[in-house]
């Protein structure tokens, strides 16, 4: 049998810091500190011990601890004699009864008391009674006599509530404590926490049995927690809190206002309370030395627990400290500057979620803790938002113009809502997935958005919605946490994320490490400029469709509709001719904004019927322009209707059936490029054909592209207009046929939204009806539109790249689906050898970080082999 | 340079019959006959020659021939002296002028005369004039003097029309003839024929230059064509036609009624005309000997051309004869009986299309030739139909009940039209593909059906449709050729395909050769019985959905709707309880009809909203039953609406979100099986989970299946109810994850309709808007819903089988998409190692044939290696 019990203490330890998986985080830290010769209470042997949990990964407050084990009618007199401090011993004993009866005798024994009838509450009530009777303010006011009386009351109460005597045998107490800590791994809180944090159930916890040291032994005793740097800001200052004459749980429980650790970090709330620096300068100095030693040793900010027993410092815990986004970035950058860590290590010190925190203002987390959740949905657009509810896009625009902050609440959004979405501060929909229209648009704009909140029932006519038993009327306030997908009633305060000076430096570190290129998806010249500012090295997907939505889009949209509803190719060509200047100007603006960097322009992609107007007045105007009746228009619109438009007449299929459409776009690309070159600018367009599934489609369109190229080049008196010709790989067949496709395509861009749709047979607009059940039943590890399915979709991607590069070794390969901004997916893209990922502008920093992490993780893996 | 000129004649030949690709079919046959010592006019050298075309594959009448080459002012007197027959020589010369001026001087020279102004018509007009002036009935009445005058008129006319003299040089005539025959490969007729028959352009034709023999040398001369067996029935009788004193073109041109070859095959139309058997008994005997020798030698029915020159028999051609379906089957069976061919060869002698002819009555081909085509569509349901047009399903039912034969014409069909579709004799739709609803249903019923006839414009209100410039009103007759997809106005006569006695025997031959199992897709016990009669070895796909359509479906459909529109799981369970007896009875009936054979029952597959009623009265009834308002019902229906239902909430996804639905079906399967076993019948159900893409889905449903199994087994006091548990593989991800899926699944059934949809990103209901353009532009070799895409979809299938069998070597694998009845796809299924194919009952014989052919072709390929 493997060794299961490890000793530590007195400058020696059987375990090591690297044995975290065996000893747990706490145990490993204690062993390491003991090995370093730091003052650590020894494990296992001494008279009084604590039993403390400690899994591989910190789960703060989720598991149990039992202190003061070993106090019995036999040992109490001895301890009093030894310490000459009866009050301290009795205080420790009443703490033992209180904790043990709760954790061991009730919880671990599986007793399920009625609400408020738990042994802990009942004992606390007794304690309160005694204090009230005596007029005491604090536990510290209790005298030895008070405690002696209280202990008898406690014992009687335990017997009454649990039907058992409190055990008076040290061995029995220890067995009970160990068992209880092990069992707390399966406690309700711990299990929920593991679900959220994705910690595997099979890890289990270690139990640390350690000699007690006492912070409650009098005025020369104390206990505290400290962080080697400020975990909220990352600032390189020693930060912490402590209490005199107390045990650790008192600090955590918040019964007394804790003292500041030192003068540097004293805050207003600490008032005049003495700092440890002032109260115990020698011990403080010793603690500072420990701090310095540990940080240098662990090369990361540490979260410390210490106790001062009668003037002597004991270290109870050291572990890597939790931190928020700004702090993580600041510390990573600082530690590189201090030569404490390498750039590669720095890159691993910030999670993508932490970086994301820096990019969006958020709801005040404290206010959130106290607010009532009325609905949950998908976290489609991160950050927070608070505003007054409106139910139509028009109302959103009207209210926003008056300066009102509005939250647009819709059953689901459609392209006609775009104006309202832009005007809103936040968006909330009852339907849709992470890549639904609302989600895509919101993320593109860095806007807070929750979609698929199926609990909310929207009544557009009454202008109300109901959720969690609450009915919210138009004009009432709601608040959204778009990072978690939570909806609150009322107006919650916001916390800004000001410009962080470390951010730019950190991004530079990432860029120096990563190999993968990072581009952005853009829908307008303005998007492109924003993307460039976020560090995008090109546009991986320029969707010209955007020019048909939103403000200023009336004219091009009208012309597009005219084109779509044309009765003949001639009519269609005429409308396209009128549309041409708009397309060209849009493309030219984007190429110009990205001058010197490549811009992948996708030809028209969506099914045409998406653009047909629904509003009566717009239909009338359109029919008039086409010289047909409303019925005639309705017939043409009906002809465009499809059962499954996602797999219908779109993308390259439009280019084959209506060649004049692709021609117009291609001509616009070449003319815009030629004009920019004539103006002395470096335009690098890449023409991308969407929705292909066969080389022949690419050949068909390539012939047209070459023809238009010759025409435009001749018109501008140029020999050649630079461009690349390539395709989206977004249909499973395209991935399988990639070897042939690469004969014609000079680049591939994996469209993983569609590829996921077709590979799974999941319509992203319709998954709301079953994917939540799938996630709940554990049938899917994650929404595949959020996190790339690396097993099957990933296999198709890897296969596509391999086959493509076999034909054309220098084939340029990227990804332009929403996954391009998902960290795990970015890492996957690095591993399969893509040249770049492309994501929404706001995700560019995240992608840069993930790409850098991929390099470091890959090297670590190789190193291990 | 390769040898390009091959000699044959006088019992010797430089070429061989196997050199068909080099010498062409005619040349190869001539070389082979010459080699056999049969009387074949020699190639190349003699004075008068013919130039005749001959490609690898016969293209009857599509290319040119020039006879009598070499007659000039210098050679004519010599030939007259030699033959002592001036009239014959002059007749030959006028034939030369007539043919040569047309084929060589006009057509091959690229002269394009106005309509009716071609040289051939003008010469024929002169011939007619002379005959009328003399009061002659036949060309044979022309005297030598008549011909001498006519020749001068011809020569003048040629000069007048073509501006050139008729060439009087034998070498020039020969060069011109050879060139003209080569050029006729690119003539308009030949090109069109190649398109239809899919003959590659690059093959080209051979030119056979051969000594002339003359059937027009007097009463002891003759010419004829013969088939070694009757090509219309397959009967083993020598069948043919001949004319005395004529050249071959006279037989083909139909100027004179031809004589019968013998007494056995004399028909009414031949009247009292003497047979060759009577007129020239010796020569006939010689010809019979040639017939016997050639058929034994080529081991197939031959199509012969012969000429008798002054009593001597000459063979001008032998080739494998064209035949219709019944003849092909009859001959294959007979020849196996005669030990002329092996079973393996017999299997290759019948094409799937020929076999199909036996299974459906057809339009009379002769009437079709003369009818006007008004529209073309996709040949969705083979066979022919003629009937009076109706425009609604209700009208179809009403008229059919009165005994009227109706053709149901719709823009497209939906499930509510099913009743009308069943009542109709034929179905015609403007939209939809080969696997559209109408097509699937029609094929399942063996009903004539044309879909996607986009030229037809349906006006349902006016009850008319327009196509090819013709407007057809309700009640007017139209005729459909569902094998070719052609629509004719009017009532065309039908030709029945009576029960063919050879059919059963031929199928037995196929079954003895094939390795692949053949099952049928069925929708009802009646279907199953029919499938069994057609030779199905099980049901590969039993779709219980059928019980909700058509006659007698009112009650189950109403209960299903109640279930779908339930507001709570409890309501849903109640409705399912009421539905249960219907489901069980349907499944039991099918299991019973197939007793002893496996029946794969698919759990509920389609998106629920498909069943929600559109009709006001039905909605009212449903709302009432549910105790909700019409608006409430509308809301529930709206909630079920999906953007892309094909990739939405269907199949196993329903089973996960509404477990009670799958449970009901599974319970019905087990109870039906248990009851049949108790009744002493052998029921072999296979439970099939549709639309899966992950092993976890299968595990989730398997748990439920095992639970219900235990419950039902206990209820019936049985230890175990036999069943297999498996899944459809119809989502690309399922094929990729097949290795894992096979851990749980005991069988796979490839659903290639959906697999094709997702692999291509083609919605089968929407491809009508672009696939026709794709086919026209050559971007697709075929509609992938008709013929399986063996490159990409095929790769996924092969991958799925390989991965599945790696996990579970005995995994049973089949296909249940529409491709299961497509011959090329069946062969593919054999090659990738499937256990069976499953197709609609009417396609079962085709699949049995294709499966047998696959074995033979595979062996041939292995033999070659």
């Amino acid at each position: 049998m493997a060794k299961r019990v490890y000793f530590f203490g007195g400058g020696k330890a059987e375990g090591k810091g690297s044995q975290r998986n065996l000893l747990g985080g706490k145990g490993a830290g204690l062993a390491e500190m003991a090995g370093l010769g730091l003052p650590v209470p020894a494990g296992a042997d001494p008279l009084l011990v604590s039993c403390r949990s400690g899994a591989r990964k910190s789960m703060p407050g989720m598991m149990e601890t039992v202190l003061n084990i070993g106090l019995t009618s036999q040992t109490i007199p001895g301890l009093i004699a030894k310490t000459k401090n009866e009050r301290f011993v009795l205080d420790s004993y009443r703490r033992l009864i209180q904790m043990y009866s709760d954790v061991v005798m009730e919880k671990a024994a599986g007793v399920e008391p009625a609400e408020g009838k738990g042994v802990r509450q009942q004992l606390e009530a007794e304690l309160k009674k005694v204090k009230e009777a005596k007029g005491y303010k604090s536990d510290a006011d209790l005298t030895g006599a008070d405690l002696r009386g209280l202990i008898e009351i406690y014992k009687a109460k335990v017997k009454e509530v649990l039907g058992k005597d409190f055990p008076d045998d040290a061995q029995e107490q220890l067995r009970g404590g160990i068992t209880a800590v092990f069992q707390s791994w399966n406690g309700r809180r711990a299990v929920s926490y593991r679900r959220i944090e994705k910690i595997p159930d099979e890890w289990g916890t270690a139990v640390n049995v350690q000699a007690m040291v006492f912070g409650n032994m009098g005025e020369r005793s104390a206990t505290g927690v400290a962080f080697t740097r400020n975990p909220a800001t990352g600032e390189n200052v020693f930060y912490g809190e402590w209490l005199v004459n107390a045990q650790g749980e008192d600090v955590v429980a918040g019964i007394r206002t804790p003292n500041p650790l030192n003068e540097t970090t004293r805050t207003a709330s600490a008032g005049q309370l003495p700092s440890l620096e002032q109260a115990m300068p020698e011990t403080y100095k010793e603690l500072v030395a420990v701090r310095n030693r540990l940080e240098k040793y662990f090369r990361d900010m540490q979260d410390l627990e210490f106790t001062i027993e009668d003037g002597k410092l004991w270290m109870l815990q050291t572990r890597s400290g939790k931190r928020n986004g700004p702090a993580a970035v600041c510390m990573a950058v600082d530690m590189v500057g201090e030569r404490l860590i390498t750039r590669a290590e720095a890159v691993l010190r910030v999670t993508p979620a932490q970086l994301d925190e820096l990019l969006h203002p958020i709801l005040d987390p404290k206010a959130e803790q106290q607010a009532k959740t009325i609905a949950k949905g998908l976290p489609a657009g991160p950050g927070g938002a608070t505003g007054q509810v409106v139910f139509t896009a028009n109302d959103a625009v009207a209210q926003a113009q008056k300066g009102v902050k509005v939250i647009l609440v819709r059953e689901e959004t459609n392209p006609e809502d775009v104006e309202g979405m832009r005007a809103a501060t936040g968006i909330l929909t009852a339907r849709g997935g992470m890549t639904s229209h609302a989600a895509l648009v919101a993320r593109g704009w860095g806007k807070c958005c929750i979609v698929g909140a199926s609990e909310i029932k929207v009544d557009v006519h009454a202008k109300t919605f109901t959720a969690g038993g609450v009915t919210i009327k138009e004009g009432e306030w709601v608040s959204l946490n778009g990072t978690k997908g939570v909806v609150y009633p009322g107006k919650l305060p916001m916390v800004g994320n000001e410009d962080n000076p470390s951010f730019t430096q950190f991004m530079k570190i990432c860029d120096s490490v990563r190999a993968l290129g990072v581009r952005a998806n853009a829908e307008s010249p303005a998007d492109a400029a924003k993307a460039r500012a976020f560090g995008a090295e090109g546009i991986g997907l320029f969707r010209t469709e955007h020019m048909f939505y939103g403000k200023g889009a009336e004219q091009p949209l009208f012309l597009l509709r005219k084109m779509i509803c044309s009765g003949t190719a001639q009519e269609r060509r005429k409308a396209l001719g009128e549309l041409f200047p708009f397309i060209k100007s849009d493309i030219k603006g984007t190429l110009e904004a990205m001058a010197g960097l490549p811009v992948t322009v996708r030809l028209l992609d969506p099914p045409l019927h998406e653009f047909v107007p629904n509003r009566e007045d717009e239909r009338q105007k359109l029919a008039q322009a086409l010289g047909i009746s409303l019925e005639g228009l309705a017939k043409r619109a009906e002809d465009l209707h499809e059962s499954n438009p996602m797999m219908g007449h779109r993308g390259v299929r439009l280019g084959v059936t209506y060649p004049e459409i692709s021609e117009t776009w291609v001509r616009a690309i070449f003319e815009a490029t030629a004009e920019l070159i004539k103006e002395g600018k470096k335009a690098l367009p890449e023409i991308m054909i969407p929705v292909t599934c066969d080389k022949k489609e690419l050949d068909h369109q390539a012939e047209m592209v070459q023809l238009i190229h010759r025409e435009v080049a001749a018109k501008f008196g140029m020999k050649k207009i630079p461009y690349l010709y390539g395709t989206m790989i977004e249909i499973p067949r395209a991935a399988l046929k990639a070897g042939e496709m690469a004969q014609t395509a000079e680049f591939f861009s994996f469209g993983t939204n569609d590829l996921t749709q077709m590979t799974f047979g999941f319509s992203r607009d319709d998954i709301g009806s079953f994917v939540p059940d799938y996630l709940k039943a554990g049938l899917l590890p994650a929404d595949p539109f959020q996190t790339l399915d690396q097993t099957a979709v990933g296999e198709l991607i890897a296969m596509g790249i391999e086959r493509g590069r076999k034909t054309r070794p220098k084939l340029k390969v990227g990804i332009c689906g929403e996954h391009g901004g998902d960290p795990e997916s970015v890492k996957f893209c690095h591993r399969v050898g893509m040249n770049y990922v492309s994501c929404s502008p706001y995700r560019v920093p995240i992608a840069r970080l993930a790409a850098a992490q991929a390099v470091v993780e890959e090297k670590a893996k190789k190193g291990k082999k």
Side-chain angles (χ1 to χ4, degrees), chain A:
Chain A
M1 209 180 128
K3 182 173 169 69
R4 292 287 184 212
V5 181
Y6 285 74
F7 171 78
F8 59 89
K12 283 184 284 186
E14 291 180 352
K16 281 187 303 187
S18 58
Q19 288 177 298
R20 172 181 302 269
N21 291 2
L22 179 66
L23 306 176
K26 187 181 308 248
L30 290 169
E32 200 72 11
M33 286 196 291
L36 284 173
L38 294 179
V40 174
D45 280 344
L47 187 63
L48 294 198
V49 297
S50 64
C51 281
R52 315 198 315 169
S53 61
R56 285 157 73 161
K57 204 173 155 184
S58 167
M59 294 167 61
M62 296 301 145
M63 286 185 298
E64 304 293 355
T65 285
V66 190
L67 302 180
N68 307 315
I69 287 175
L71 286 171
T72 64
S73 53
Q74 293 203 326
T75 60
I76 289 170
L79 192 61
I80 294 174
K82 190 178 166 195
T83 60
K84 302 191 176 67
N85 189 337
E86 186 191 31
R87 190 202 168 278
F88 146 68
V89 176
L90 295 176
D91 183 51
S92 299
Y93 191 49
R94 76 90 192 160
R95 286 172 187 268
L96 171 66
I97 300 174
Q98 217 169 316
M99 211 173 223
Y100 192 97
S101 63
D102 171 41
V103 171
V104 183
M105 298 176 72
E106 188 174 271
K107 285 212 194 81
V111 177
E112 290 196 9
E115 181 72 24
K117 294 286 173 197
V119 70
R120 164 165 251 153
Q121 289 102 320
Q122 299 206 36
L123 295 187
E124 274 166 7
E126 296 300 330
L127 175 62
K128 206 176 161 196
K129 260 191 243 168
V130 171
K131 275 159 69 183
E132 281 171 1
K134 304 266 177 176
Y136 298 158
K137 280 185 182 169
S138 158
D139 296 358
D141 299 335
L142 292 165
T143 64
D146 295 334
L147 287 165
R148 204 175 281 280
L150 192 60
I151 285 166
E152 290 316 309
I153 297 173
Y154 271 20
K155 285 187 173 171
K157 201 76 196 174
V158 167
K159 175 93 202 224
E160 176 197 330
V161 174
L162 299 168
K164 269 196 213 171
D165 281 320
F166 180 78
D168 197 34
D169 176 79
Q171 290 299 324
E172 187 186 340
Q173 285 178 5
L174 181 58
R175 255 197 316 276
I178 292 173
T179 308
V181 173
F182 276 132
Q183 288 190 353
S184 68
W185 176 256
N186 290 319
R188 206 166 296 167
R189 265 178 310 165
V191 170
S192 311
Y193 185 84
R194 288 205 296 275
R195 288 288 159 280
I196 295 164
E197 295 286 318
K198 292 181 184 150
I199 296 173
D201 289 339
E202 62 269 26
W203 278 6
T205 182
V207 178
N208 298 287
V209 179
Q210 200 175 9
M212 279 298 299
V213 289
F214 298 94
N216 58 340
M217 218 183 245
E219 294 307 308
R220 291 189 63 229
S221 296
T223 192
V225 295
F227 295 89
T228 58
R229 302 189 184 209
N230 188 328
T233 64
E235 208 187 342
N236 190 356
V237 291
F238 193 26
Y239 177 93
E241 294 172 334
W242 68 285
L243 286 173
V244 74
N245 196 15
Q247 281 197 346
E249 77 223 51
D250 301 334
V251 182
V252 179
I255 308 173
R256 289 154 57 185
T257 304
N259 301 29
L261 196 64
N262 49 35
E263 294 310 306
T264 326
T265 61
R266 177 185 291 280
T267 58
S269 67
Q272 293 305 313
L273 290 173
S275 65
L276 189 67
E277 194 177 12
Q278 294 172 323
M280 307 184 185
E282 284 309 308
T283 315
Y284 176 72
K285 228 183 265 173
E286 200 185 336
L287 187 61
V288 169
V290 169
R291 172 229 180 192
N292 293 342
R293 186 133 179 232
L294 284 178
E295 208 183 61
K296 207 165 217 164
Y297 184 78
F298 286 107
R299 299 155 69 244
D300 195 7
M301 185 266 274
Q302 295 294 299
D303 168 357
L304 310 174
E305 283 180 28
F306 63 92
T307 284
I308 300 165
E309 186 185 73
D310 200 21
K312 174 162 175 50
L313 175 69
W314 293 96
M315 299 306 300
L316 300 186
Q317 171 164 296
T318 186
R319 62 181 175 194
S320 178
K322 294 218 179 281
R323 62 206 76 181
N324 68 11
V329 170
C330 172
M331 289 191 289
V333 169
D334 284 356
M335 287 185 186
V336 169
E338 297 160 21
R339 298 183 180 253
L340 196 58
I341 57 173
T342 63
R343 288 167 165 264
E345 284 172 304
V347 151
L348 295 183
R349 288 289 167 84
V350 179
T351 67
Q354 284 171 332
L355 191 63
D356 206 22
E357 279 180 44
L358 269 74
L359 302 169
H360 304 277
I362 55 172
L363 295 180
D364 182 348
K366 282 180 198 148
E368 254 188 287
Q369 278 177 345
Q370 288 153 15
K372 182 192 171 183
T373 299
I374 55 169
K376 288 196 169 190
L378 299 171
T386 186
Q388 292 171 261
V389 167
V390 293
F391 292 91
T392 70
N394 285 344
D395 290 346
V397 174
Q399 291 299 312
Q401 277 170 351
K402 291 184 204 156
V404 177
K405 282 198 165 187
V406 298
I407 304 286
L408 176 61
V409 181
R410 302 283 289 156
E411 186 71 22
E412 65 190 328
T413 67
N414 63 50
E416 297 191 1
D417 290 335
V418 159
E419 194 79 342
M421 292 170 70
R422 194 184 263 286
T425 285
I427 300 150
L428 170 62
T429 76
R431 282 159 64 166
M434 284 296 283
T435 50
S436 65
H437 172 257
L440 284 172
V441 171
R443 245 188 330 277
W445 291 336
K447 191 156 284 200
C448 174
C449 175
I450 298 173
V451 300
S454 52
E455 296 150 272
I456 75 164
K457 303 292 165 204
V458 179
D459 185 335
V460 181
H461 302 294
K463 298 210 171 179
T464 63
F465 80 87
T466 308
V470 179
T471 297
I472 309 273
K473 291 183 206 132
E474 188 179 43
E476 291 186 357
W477 287 81
V478 295
S479 300
L480 311 182
N481 178 334
T483 310
K484 290 188 185 159
V486 183
V487 185
Y488 305 102
K491 181 179 181 175
L492 265 53
M494 300 281 299
V495 181
N497 255 326
E498 294 87 61
D499 280 337
N500 188 312
S502 305
F503 175 72
T504 320
Q505 271 178 282
F506 183 69
M507 284 289 100
K508 274 192 196 148
I509 292 174
C510 291
D511 291 348
S512 73
V513 171
R514 73 184 156 94
L516 195 64
V518 177
R519 298 192 186 183
N521 302 340
E523 305 202 319
S524 65
D527 270 5
K530 197 190 301 158
R532 194 163 196 160
F534 272 118
E537 299 159 313
I539 298 299
L541 174 62
F542 177 49
R543 284 181 285 240
T544 52
E545 287 83 9
H546 177 76
M547 87 180 98
F548 305 115
Y549 302 125
K551 216 173 171 176
E554 296 79 8
Q555 181 66 358
L557 178 59
F558 180 71
L559 292 170
L560 181 75
R561 286 169 168 174
K562 229 172 106 180
M563 184 276 279
I564 289 167
C565 295
S566 293
T568 64
Q570 205 185 348
E571 260 179 59
R572 197 157 41 239
R573 276 183 194 282
K574 189 159 167 286
L576 281 165
E578 297 174 90
L579 195 50
F580 180 76
F582 293 96
I583 303 170
K584 188 168 104 179
S585 129
D586 205 41
I587 292 172
K588 190 174 171 184
T590 302
L591 284 169
E592 193 170 8
M594 299 303 287
L597 296 175
V599 175
T600 310
V601 185
R602 184 179 69 183
L603 302 192
L604 197 66
D605 178 79
L608 298 183
H609 79 91
E610 273 196 12
F611 297 101
V612 175
N614 292 321
R615 270 167 45 195
E616 186 69 13
D617 57 335
E618 289 181 336
R619 285 205 169 214
Q620 215 123 30
K621 190 179 152 203
L622 186 57
Q624 204 165 11
L626 290 165
I628 57 174
S629 67
L630 255 182
E631 293 72 40
L633 181 66
K635 179 77 180 68
R636 288 186 189 175
E638 176 57 27
D639 284 349
L640 291 171
H641 173 80
E642 295 185 305
S643 306
N644 296 284
M646 198 56 80
M647 302 195 290
H649 197 179
R650 54 180 287 232
V652 69
R653 301 163 195 174
L654 293 171
V656 170
T657 51
Y658 304 125
E660 54 275 13
I661 297 182
S662 321
E663 280 169 34
T664 305
W665 258 257
V666 170
R667 192 178 301 279
I669 294 169
F670 283 129
E671 290 205 1
T673 306
E675 286 178 9
L676 285 168
I677 290 172
K678 290 275 170 190
E679 292 165 20
K681 282 157 194 152
K682 200 167 176 195
L684 298 170
E686 304 179 334
I687 298 173
M688 181 156 75
I689 313 295
V691 201
T692 53
C693 69
D694 199 283
K695 171 183 184 283
K696 285 186 180 164
E697 294 173 314
L698 280 178
D699 292 343
H700 181 275
Q701 297 285 292
E703 208 175 299
M704 174 273 292
V705 168
Q706 286 154 13
L707 182 78
I708 307 275
H709 174 264
R710 279 194 298 275
E711 284 180 21
V712 178
K715 178 175 167 185
F716 284 81
M718 294 167 73
K719 263 200 171 160
K720 202 179 148 17
I721 302 170
Y723 74 101
L724 285 186
Y725 180 76
T727 186
M728 300 273 285
I729 303 283
E730 55 188 329
I731 303 278
R733 194 174 192 271
L736 292 163
K737 303 283 275 181
E740 291 175 22
M741 311 267 291
Q743 288 169 17
T744 306
E746 295 171 297
F747 67 88
F748 283 175
S749 180
F750 284 89
T752 49
N753 294 351
D754 272 308
L755 193 59
T756 298
Q757 291 199 95
M758 315 276 173
T759 304
F760 274 82
F762 281 6
S763 160
R764 70 185 183 200
D765 293 324
D766 302 313
I767 55 166
S769 52
F770 58 92
V771 161
D773 283 343
Y774 266 59
L775 293 171
K776 212 182 290 165
L779 302 184
L780 276 176
D783 177 345
F785 293 105
Q786 284 180 53
T787 300
L788 190 75
D789 164 42
Q790 296 182 13
T791 65
V793 179
E795 183 177 1
L796 284 177
I797 293 173
M799 204 183 272
I801 296 175
E802 193 197 317
R803 292 179 183 190
R805 291 244 173 90
K806 202 168 173 192
T807 300
R808 187 187 289 266
K810 301 219 154 173
L811 185 77
K812 202 162 156 184
V813 179
I815 184 177
C816 64
E818 279 296 299
H819 299 107
D822 171 70
E824 284 311 311
S825 309
V826 170
K827 292 178 186 175
F828 171 81
C829 294
H830 169 82
R831 288 198 300 274
V832 295
M834 286 198 190
N835 299 86
Y836 68 86
V837 295
S838 187
C839 56
S840 71
Y842 286 94
R843 301 292 293 175
V844 165
I846 311 289
R848 287 158 74 194
L849 169 59
Q853 290 184 336
V855 171
V856 179
E857 287 168 4
E858 194 176 48
K859 279 187 187 154
K861 213 171 168 186
K862 275 189 191 150
K864 263 189 197 161
K865 273 182 190 164

